[in-house]
Amino acid sequence: CYDEMPFYELIDHLKEEHHFVSQELSFNEKHTKEIIFKTEEIFETMCLDFASTLFEVDGKTFMISIREKDIFNQNQTTFIQWIHFLGTPKEAKNYAYTLEYYCKDGRTSTYTGQAIPVNDQFENYKDVSDGFTCFMIDFEKFKTQFIDGNRFEYSIRFKNLKEEIKDENANPESEK
């Protein structure tokens, strides 16, 4: 969606216009999500419709973004997934996430990345060397490993990096 609006209207816009639902979690809590395609859509496109969840994590809002696109213009489609933080670039640096994808054969594949601010769009990161924080895999390989019939499943876990640093720096002697 390329609608421009004030930031304070974004969540309502996503819920009303794009049918996003809100899922409440706590930091370090794991949430499993299943993506089911309609038969005619399975390999046509994946975007906002398949990622329509806002995560409210201890008062902070995150949004899943999924794309399936030929990002390198080489007739090779790539599956891309990342997490937007609904806040400023400075705040976004405090949050990370872990995606765990469940293979058809029972194995898993895990990716950990840093949340990006909501005002950063995918189009800003067409070149991987830009340091874009996302899970990226050739779509044919993703399909072979993770899509079972018309579905795939993954889990997500959010981390507050600022809080983890505080915990690491806590002096155990002062807590007694």
Side-chain angles (χ1 to χ4, degrees), residues 1 7 21 35 61 78 84 93 126-127 163 167:
C1 175
F7 181 74
V21 295
I35 304 292
T61 305
T78 304
H84 274 118
K93 291 179 181 179
K126 288 183 180 176
D127 184 0
E163 290 300 317
D167 290 345

Side-chain angles (χ1 to χ4, degrees), residues 78-174:
T78 304
F79 173 88
I80 310 145
Q81 185 171 13
W82 69 96
I83 304 300
H84 274 118
F85 171 69
L86 277 64
T88 67
K90 183 177 178 181
E91 290 174 297
K93 291 179 181 179
N94 294 322
Y95 305 105
Y97 61 91
T98 298
L99 299 168
E100 183 175 21
Y101 298 90
Y102 301 99
C103 297
K104 294 188 286 188
D105 65 4
R107 294 179 292 149
T108 62
S109 182
T110 304
Y111 173 81
T112 299
Q114 186 169 349
I116 66 167
V118 71
N119 58 341
D120 278 1
Q121 296 298 317
F122 168 75
E123 287 74 16
N124 296 340
Y125 301 102
K126 288 183 180 176
D127 184 0
V128 178
S129 65
D130 287 343
F132 182 57
T133 306
C134 68
F135 173 75
M136 188 180 298
I137 184 173
D138 174 79
F139 186 66
E140 290 302 314
K141 290 177 181 154
F142 184 82
K143 194 166 52 172
T144 301
Q145 292 177 13
F146 302 108
I147 297 179
D148 190 3
N150 68 337
R151 61 176 285 284
F152 75 93
E153 188 175 11
Y154 70 95
S155 66
I156 186 165
R157 183 183 317 250
F158 296 92
K159 293 181 181 182
N160 183 334
L161 301 174
K162 202 172 184 179
E163 290 300 317
E164 287 184 9
I165 289 172
K166 279 185 194 176
D167 290 345
E168 288 175 7
N169 292 332
N171 183 349
E173 292 299 317
S174 65

Side-chain angles (χ1 to χ4, degrees), residues 13-93:
H13 173 80
L14 291 170
K15 289 179 178 179
E16 293 168 15
E17 300 296 322
H18 300 285
H19 311 290
F20 271 57
V21 295
S22 187
Q23 173 73 44
E24 289 190 28
L25 293 174
S26 294
F27 284 108
N28 296 313
E29 181 181 352
K30 186 177 187 177
H31 173 75
T32 301
K33 186 163 178 66
E34 181 177 58
I35 304 292
I36 300 175
F37 304 97
K38 294 177 185 169
T39 306
E40 65 275 7
E41 294 174 328
I42 186 165
F43 305 122
E44 293 299 318
T45 185
M46 289 189 298
C47 67
L48 224 45
D49 291 343
F50 299 111
S52 55
T53 303
L54 292 172
F55 287 96
E56 300 292 335
V57 186
D58 294 337
K60 304 297 181 185
T61 305
F62 300 85
M63 178 178 73
I64 297 172
S65 293
I66 296 176
R67 297 288 185 272
E68 176 241 322
K69 195 171 186 173
D70 181 5
I71 60 172
F72 301 110
N73 297 319
Q74 298 176 345
N75 295 322
Q76 177 181 335
T77 307
T78 304
F79 173 88
I80 310 145
Q81 185 171 13
W82 69 96
I83 304 300
H84 274 118
F85 171 69
L86 277 64
T88 67
K90 183 177 178 181
E91 290 174 297
K93 291 179 181 179

